[in-house]
Amino acid sequence: MAHVMAGTRWSPETEEGLVFPNPDEIIREDEIHAALANTVEAAKDPQNIRRILQKARENAFLNTAQDSPQHEFIQALSLEETATLLNIPIENQELMQEVYNTALEIKQRIYGDRIVLFAPLYVSNFCQGSCQYCGYRGSNREMERSVLDEEDLKKEVRVLEQNGHKRLVVLCGEHPMYPFNQFLQDVRVIADVKTGTSGEIRRMNVEIPPLSVSDCKRLKATDCVGTYTIFQETYHRETYAQMHPRDQGTKSDYNYRLLCMDRAQMGGLDDVGLGALFGLYDYRFEVLGLLMHADHLERTYRCGPHTISVPRLQPAKNTPLSEHTDWLVNDDEFKKIVAIIRIAVPYTGMILSTRETPEIRRMCIRMGVSQFSAGSHTDVGSYSSSDVQEAATECSSKGQFSLSDTRTPAEVIKDLLRMGFVPSWCTACYRCQRTGEQFMAIAKKGNIGDLCQPNALLTLAEYLLDYADDEAKELGWAVIEREQHRIQNPNRLAAFQRKLERICNGERDLYF
């Protein structure tokens, strides 16, 4: 059975004759519960776990593929196999360590030591949503509401660029005080802001309320947007209804939100990001829900998600539920979530925000996280605030949720460099249309490093020359000297060194 659905007041539908898949056939709750119930004993068998992990390695390294996959989305494990890993008892440290080791092995093979950095930019915190866990919810009368005007928006972007950021995720709530037309205008404003020698935003992702097909086409037409991200929050229908009361906003419609990525595909936004908010319901169910949603997109449109985000519930002002639920995820469970998602979908980018502490973030980049926010603020207008430190460290009256990593971008970057990682602001694959089948053909040959590695190092060199302090320069140039020799193709290494010299002589935005 197919469904026909209208838009919302924030994003009305003008397309006619649209038919959508049945949401009940996308997220099949009975199958998820059955997979979890039927694999409890299998999760205690070390040989079975090792068989699953070996299969994941072979699929991740494309050892079993006859032809090059057509898309970056590869689901390396079945629903039952993933459920088995999720059912491994946390206290079984030996098996869990094997899971962590496998995730690290896969992550290193595909992503190496590269960590892509970005920052969130909130343009409005007006919202009619009813999310019981969110400080932005419309019923929170203690929330100070604001919208960035054009000049304030430019100030925010300039500050972000002056901190070295090249990639943003732009966010807003759903409210008539900030209509979608304004968002489209703001996207264009952000794209035009330039500062200094190389200050510019080269990739802009968005995390906004669900759009109609017609508005997806309008967003695509700006030619400014990369990934279109929306979190389902929870894939468990009963919990979703409890968290989003029907009389308090349009977000109460589970099916409309679930089909947002179908509308995106129909509207030409084929680069999408999924996520669940861990802590609202059983984390095992949410992981399987994410993978089931991703599999639907791949089977239906031959285009699985580009990224999966793993936010964990954090306190928010005047929002008691954000601290008191029956499903809060502890640190060991969270590490398990990250590792298993990396094993299950090896080529999908995994995003970790500053909701997490520096300690947890350090651990998770060794288990599968490939993208990191740095120096994040969740207050509208707080990047250009006169009291930036207070804005970063306090859950102020305008923040969506509290932050656990309040370090500046420079501090995050130096920490990554000390650990031997390569901070990256690369956007080359998107700009060269090197995605999908093209990317996977390169991946199958094991040549990702000959593109991603030099491009990451070139963006790091830009940062060191334009923004870094003396300590970061010392650390960074040492990393570049070491990491360039991991470029296996001698011709590519020589070409990299020529581009690096050009950057040192003043050129910018060079890539392969």
Side-chain angles (χ1 to χ4, degrees):
M1 178 181 177
H3 281 227
V4 180
M5 306 189 75
T8 64
R9 289 184 180 180
W10 197 77
S11 179
E13 185 61 81
T14 61
E15 299 283 321
E16 296 181 356
L18 297 172
V19 179
F20 297 90
N22 184 347
D24 291 335
E25 295 175 0
I26 299 174
I27 303 299
R28 303 175 299 280
E29 291 194 8
D30 289 346
E31 287 185 32
I32 295 176
H33 286 303
L36 290 171
N38 295 338
T39 57
V40 172
E41 292 304 314
K44 300 175 184 177
D45 181 353
Q47 292 305 113
N48 186 47
I49 296 301
R50 289 169 187 140
R51 177 191 63 78
I52 293 173
L53 295 178
Q54 181 57 32
K55 175 185 175 182
R57 288 189 195 93
E58 291 175 356
N59 286 340
F61 302 158
L62 306 178
N63 293 338
T64 59
Q66 297 299 313
D67 300 308
S68 297
Q70 293 186 334
H71 302 283
E72 292 96 325
F73 179 78
I74 293 178
Q75 194 152 320
L77 298 177
S78 69
L79 191 74
E80 290 72 20
E81 289 165 334
T82 307
T84 304
L85 297 184
L86 289 165
N87 273 326
I88 299 173
I90 287 287
E91 57 271 17
N92 190 330
Q93 296 182 11
E94 180 180 354
L95 280 184
M96 286 309 308
Q97 191 58 52
E98 292 189 38
V99 171
Y100 298 147
N101 291 344
T102 301
L104 174 60
E105 185 180 350
I106 291 172
K107 194 255 184 182
Q108 288 297 111
R109 171 70 175 265
I110 296 172
Y111 294 97
D113 291 324
R114 302 178 296 279
I115 300 293
V116 173
L117 297 179
F118 71 94
L121 174 58
Y122 287 78
V123 293
S124 169
N125 65 359
F126 279 93
C127 193
Q128 293 178 320
S130 58
C131 314
Q132 299 300 292
Y133 46 83
C134 180
Y136 274 14
R137 71 188 188 284
S139 60
N140 185 359
R141 302 306 179 192
E142 294 186 20
M143 172 65 64
E144 295 180 23
R145 308 289 174 170
S146 59
V147 175
L148 293 178
D149 62 27
E150 184 171 327
E151 286 307 309
D152 286 335
L153 177 59
K154 290 178 180 178
K155 288 179 184 177
E156 292 283 281
V157 177
R158 290 189 191 106
V159 171
L160 288 162
E161 290 177 350
Q162 288 161 2
N163 278 283
H165 281 296
K166 299 285 188 285
R167 303 167 63 112
L168 299 181
V169 55
V170 186
L171 308 94
C172 70
E174 180 176 357
H175 197 280
M177 288 293 293
Y178 185 78
F180 180 61
N181 284 343
Q182 181 65 50
F183 183 81
L184 291 176
Q185 179 179 330
D186 285 348
V187 162
R188 295 184 178 94
V189 169
I190 293 168
D192 288 340
V193 176
K194 314 293 181 187
T195 57
T197 304
S198 63
E200 61 180 344
I201 302 305
R202 296 174 184 167
R203 181 171 174 87
M204 194 187 323
N205 301 332
V206 300
E207 187 177 322
I208 58 177
L211 297 178
S212 63
V213 173
S214 49
D215 279 342
C216 285
K217 292 180 178 180
R218 296 172 67 205
L219 184 61
K220 178 73 173 180
T222 65
D223 199 28
C224 297
V225 171
T227 305
Y228 172 68
T229 299
I230 291 182
F231 301 163
Q232 185 63 21
E233 313 297 11
T234 173
Y235 284 93
H236 187 247
R237 287 176 171 83
E238 181 180 348
T239 301
Y240 189 95
Q242 293 169 355
M243 296 297 160
H244 311 95
R246 284 198 173 276
D247 60 347
Q248 296 180 36
T250 59
K251 196 170 177 177
S252 60
D253 191 332
Y254 177 101
N255 289 342
Y256 188 77
R257 192 168 187 86
L258 183 66
L259 291 171
C260 65
M261 294 308 175
D262 294 83
R263 294 192 299 277
Q265 299 293 337
M266 294 177 183
L269 294 173
D270 57 357
D271 190 327
V272 300
L274 303 180
L277 181 56
F278 290 97
L280 300 181
Y281 187 61
D282 185 342
Y283 72 86
R284 301 172 305 155
F285 184 99
E286 303 293 11
V287 170
L288 296 182
L290 273 168
L291 298 182
M292 194 173 272
H293 193 184
D295 182 64
H296 159 72
L297 295 175
E298 175 66 14
R299 285 186 293 103
T300 306
Y301 306 102
R302 299 299 300 160
C303 193
H306 184 77
T307 60
I308 289 178
S309 297
V310 287
R312 181 163 51 157
L313 191 63
Q314 294 292 351
K317 184 178 178 63
N318 192 34
T319 309
L321 190 141
S322 65
E323 301 180 65
H324 304 288
T325 78
D326 294 334
W327 301 103
L328 291 177
V329 173
N330 65 38
D331 290 350
D332 288 335
E333 292 168 334
F334 189 69
K335 290 188 294 181
K336 183 181 180 182
I337 290 167
V338 170
I340 291 174
I341 291 177
R342 172 50 62 224
I343 291 168
V345 285
Y347 286 86
T348 300
M350 196 183 314
I351 299 175
L352 189 64
S353 75
T354 50
R355 288 173 178 262
E356 300 301 327
T357 66
E359 293 74 23
I360 291 294
R361 278 155 61 93
R362 291 185 189 106
M363 285 188 285
C364 286
I365 57 177
R366 300 188 185 281
M367 295 176 190
V369 167
S370 57
Q371 297 187 30
F372 236 35
S373 55
S376 302
H377 295 184
T378 65
D379 294 15
V380 176
S382 60
Y383 288 113
S384 55
S385 168
S386 58
D387 194 343
V388 174
Q389 189 59 37
E390 179 182 351
T393 57
E394 294 186 3
C395 179
S396 76
S397 58
K398 292 196 293 182
Q400 185 184 24
F401 53 83
S402 60
L403 305 178
S404 298
D405 186 350
T406 59
R407 295 174 297 171
T408 65
E411 290 169 334
V412 172
I413 290 164
K414 285 188 281 190
D415 192 39
L416 290 171
L417 292 170
R418 292 188 195 101
M419 292 189 293
F421 289 98
V422 180
S424 172
W425 296 264
C426 179
T427 59
C429 282
Y430 314 112
R431 297 157 82 189
C432 294
Q433 305 301 309
R434 192 166 52 230
T435 57
E437 187 174 4
Q438 272 195 328
F439 178 87
M440 294 311 296
I442 297 167
K444 185 178 181 183
K445 296 176 183 176
N447 293 337
I448 294 178
D450 284 342
L451 289 168
C452 299
Q453 184 78 352
N455 285 334
L457 295 175
L458 291 172
T459 64
L460 175 56
E462 279 191 23
Y463 174 83
L464 298 176
L465 291 165
D466 295 341
Y467 306 105
D469 61 22
D470 289 341
E471 181 185 7
K473 288 178 180 177
E474 182 177 354
L475 292 166
W477 290 115
V479 166
I480 291 174
E481 174 60 29
R482 182 189 73 237
E483 291 286 331
Q484 67 176 303
H485 297 295
R486 295 190 180 184
I487 302 171
Q488 297 178 359
N489 185 318
N491 292 330
R492 181 53 52 87
L493 175 59
F496 161 76
Q497 291 171 337
R498 290 193 294 270
K499 286 183 186 291
L500 180 62
E501 183 176 2
R502 289 167 59 189
I503 284 177
C504 291
N505 289 332
E507 291 188 61
R508 293 294 180 266
D509 200 18
L510 303 179
Y511 53 85
F512 293 94

